[in-house]
Amino acid sequence: MARPPPSEGGKPTPKVLADMKFEPNIPSELASLSIMDGGMTEQDKNEVQDIPPDGGLLAWLQVFAGFLLVMNSRGLTNTFGVYQEYYSNVQLKGTDPSAISWIGSIQTFLLMFGGVFCGRLLDAGHLRVQLCAGITLQFIGTILASFATRYWQVLISQGLCVGMGSSFLWLPSVVVIAQYFDTKIMITTGIAATGSSAAGVVYPILIRKLIAKVDYPWAIRAMAFVVLAMNVVCLALMRLRIPPRRGGKFFDLSMFRDPPYAAFVAAMTFLYAAVYIPFFYIQDFSLDSGMAPKLQLYILSVVNAASLISRILPSWVADM
């Protein structure tokens, strides 16, 4: 931006300042500072850089990519009920249902716990590395699960491998969107979060239909390629906006000295300790309780569909 012609004392007149058209997303006080002092300081540039665009094509593409990542990370845990039922009654018949649920429990634990490490990787700017690692682990784990015939094989492939892959994919969906939005941050995050509900609606039906047509191994392999295709789209679209922070602690325990933050973490820990129990067991429960077969096939999808509204409406209210 060209500097205005100076007037008395080397400073622009109020009329010159009034006629200047500042670039969008730059606060007027910072723009005036850059004119009056002959340029912006590093601190001022950082302030401008920290202002999210709050819209635009690139920003909404991050929401779309975040939706797909949530669909293929947390959405897989919302879908585990269909695996729980199949393993209990067919592939791992005779195995204690509680032991089978450990497969999904480990997958869910790693999904959440991995954020401790993945967050610092994102801060350092390693988004591409993180996404590639997650995509690879998920794909390999799902393919290996299609060949598994014993409990320990399913536990390692679907529980450990897919769980670790999901942890690399879930956190970017939240962090990257927050870099592009300010006044719409809650609703855009809520839209992305509906990906887990969408997966919980679509994937159980898709898996059941595939199992009926091509049997379990090829059904799981087909799912692996479906998830891989969507994850590759995310890899192509997702971009970090804020420059990386190379230095700093990997773990900063001092944050737990803040009582509201510590209370929030504790509350979320107890919440996630219980929230997935219905998703895991509702298919088995509906089968044992004598529910009509047609309804039993879709009960997990119905439960996930009910959560769509609760992800959008509160987020919209929070932005008001």
Side-chain angles (χ1 to χ4, degrees), residues 159-235:
L160 292 176
C161 198
V162 174
M164 287 189 293
S166 297
S167 71
F168 282 110
L169 299 178
W170 175 59
L171 195 62
S173 67
V174 180
V175 173
V176 175
I177 291 173
Q179 294 184 0
Y180 285 84
F181 290 92
D182 182 18
T183 60
K184 302 173 186 174
I185 188 170
M186 297 307 298
I187 186 62
T188 50
T189 305
I191 291 171
T194 60
S196 61
S197 300
V201 172
V202 175
Y203 285 169
I205 298 173
L206 179 60
I207 292 169
R208 283 182 171 278
K209 298 289 186 184
L210 288 171
I211 289 175
K213 288 187 177 183
V214 297
D215 209 359
Y216 175 80
W218 278 107
I220 300 306
R221 288 164 205 157
M223 280 295 303
F225 282 101
V226 169
V227 171
L228 176 65
M230 288 190 282
N231 285 341
V232 169
V233 171
C234 298
L235 181 64

Side-chain angles (χ1 to χ4, degrees), residues 58-76:
L58 183 59
W60 284 105
L61 284 175
Q62 307 312 302
V63 177
F64 175 66
F67 172 87
L68 295 180
L69 287 181
V70 174
M71 190 173 182
N72 294 317
S73 54
R74 290 186 62 180
L76 296 182

Side-chain angles (χ1 to χ4, degrees), residues 92-127:
L92 301 175
K93 191 173 183 178
T95 305
D96 184 21
S98 177
I100 293 173
S101 70
W102 271 99
I103 300 168
S105 298
I106 290 174
Q107 181 181 331
T108 305
F109 168 76
L110 291 174
L111 168 71
M112 302 297 176
F113 182 72
V116 176
F117 307 96
C118 298
R120 189 63 190 91
L121 287 175
L122 278 177
D123 287 344
H126 301 304
L127 174 65

